[in-house]
Structure formats: C-alpha cells, structure tokens
Amino acid sequence: MRQADSDPYWNTNVARHPGILRAVPEGCGDALDVGCGDGLLARKLTGRAKRVTGVDRSPEMIARARELAAGRPELTFVEGDFLTAVLPAEEYDFVCSVSAIHHMDFDAALTRMRALLRPGGTLVVVGLAREASPAEWAAMIAAAPVVRITKVLRRAREPEGMPVAAPRMSYGQVRAAAGRLLPGVRYRRHVLRRYSLTWTKPGR
C-alpha cells in the first residue's frame, strides 16, 4: 500500500484525519469515504486499505478527486447522492465520513453506512452539529479561543468549491440518534467544533 499523501491544506476536518486513519482495521480490503470532496482522505486511506472508494454528489469535487488520483487504480470515485448511489451491501471493511452527514438525512445516511459495512467492520463519522443546551453552549464558548488561534496558526482553508451547509441537529440529538441506530457506538465531542462516532458492526 502507498504512503499517505502530505496535506496540501489544513482545516478542522483535516485535523480529524489522523484519528480516522488509526481506526482502519488491520488487513482492510475495501474502504469507503462518504462525502469525499476532493479525495484527500481517500488518498490517505490507500496507505491502510487495498482499495478505496469515494462518493460525493458534487461534480466539481469528484472531477478534482479523479484528477488528483490519476494513475492510481486502487482509488475509485463515484459521483452521486450517497443515499441512492449504487454501492455493494456489506462490502466494506471500513466506512468513514467527514463533515458530510449534515448535508443528508441523518438517520437514512447512518442506516445506509451501517448496511454497507461488513460484519466486524468499522464505521467512523466526523460531523458538525449546533449548540442547543446550556452545556453545549458553554463548551463552545470555552473552546472558541483555542479554535480561533489554531485556525490562524495553521492557516486554515477549505478546498475551492467545497459545498457548505449549516447543521440542523444539535449535539444531543446526534448522540441520541446515533445511540439508537448504532447500539454501543462511541460518541466524542472534539475541541475544534466536531463530534465523532466510532462503531464496530457485530459479526455474524
């Protein structure tokens, strides 16, 4: 497997890449990146998986991902809506998604990710949510200086043309829905205004 690409840019999504890569199971055959954007994480995943598929509904992002993956047959990119794209059920040893699930229906997206995962496979979702409770607002306010300073020092920027959307669900709603859909899921809230869900699909 190839070494992971160095980061051409940094932002609060890229900050979560190392943790995602550490979660890839040993001997991973097939990995899926949902909402892959320009394919940066998918390219990194080739250092841990034999074959990597990225799916995104943005034609511009998929075109860029394919351009950057030219000559790498272990990488495949699918343009389309993740909820309806043709993808094989229970085919992937690892499924991940970074800051994409809030662009979709949360329950439907998480249910499909679960269905695409092989028994024993690992799912990692990194997402955005909104503050709703006093505790959530307090956590956001406490972290705000760290977030601002980190972004300035790391010269945070987004890839050109990256679609954006405001999250509809609160952190509490995300945690409750994930616990219902993925029994035993590990939920974490991160300093740089992200949460993560990590789950292993029970074996047969």
Side-chain angles (χ1 to χ4, degrees):
M1 300 180 201
R2 298 178 60 136
Q3 290 295 108
D5 292 6
S6 59
D7 294 333
Y9 54 85
W10 184 92
N11 55 46
T12 48
N13 294 326
V14 176
R16 302 265 35 103
H17 287 183
I20 293 168
L21 294 171
R22 286 193 296 270
V24 179
E26 290 292 328
C28 182
D30 291 277
L32 176 68
D33 182 10
V34 178
C36 64
D38 66 357
L40 176 59
L41 178 56
R43 296 194 301 276
K44 292 179 182 181
L45 283 168
T46 60
R48 304 292 181 98
K50 293 178 182 178
R51 295 166 296 277
V52 179
T53 300
V55 57
D56 201 292
R57 66 184 181 189
S58 166
E60 294 79 12
M61 289 292 100
I62 286 293
R64 180 65 174 152
R66 287 172 175 160
E67 177 186 349
L68 292 169
R72 298 178 64 167
E74 73 275 24
L75 277 164
T76 301
F77 291 100
V78 176
E79 180 190 330
D81 184 336
F82 168 65
L83 297 179
T84 56
V86 178
L87 297 165
E90 295 195 340
E91 180 69 23
Y92 301 96
D93 302 295
F94 185 72
V95 176
C96 63
S97 180
V98 180
S99 295
I101 198 167
H102 69 286
H103 291 259
M104 299 176 268
D105 178 276
F106 184 88
D107 283 23
L110 211 56
T111 298
R112 182 145 208 235
M113 291 180 202
R114 183 183 66 192
L116 295 174
L117 200 61
R118 283 191 178 120
T122 300
L123 170 64
V124 178
V125 175
V126 172
L128 287 78
R130 61 178 180 83
E131 289 75 19
S133 71
E136 290 169 356
W137 277 106
M140 186 274 285
I141 292 168
V146 175
V147 175
R148 284 196 299 268
I149 291 169
T150 303
K151 285 184 173 182
V152 170
L153 292 177
R154 297 298 302 268
R155 298 179 181 179
R157 67 181 181 88
E158 303 295 331
E160 185 177 348
M162 180 70 76
V164 297
R168 296 182 295 275
M169 296 174 70
S170 71
Y171 288 96
Q173 289 171 328
V174 166
R175 187 170 191 171
R180 172 172 47 82
L181 294 167
L182 306 173
V185 67
R186 182 163 64 93
Y187 168 93
R188 287 187 62 194
R189 182 169 177 179
H190 301 280
V191 173
L192 299 180
R193 300 201 71 187
R194 297 291 183 274
Y195 67 81
S196 64
L197 308 171
T198 305
W199 183 70
T200 299
K201 186 171 185 175
R204 289 196 178 94

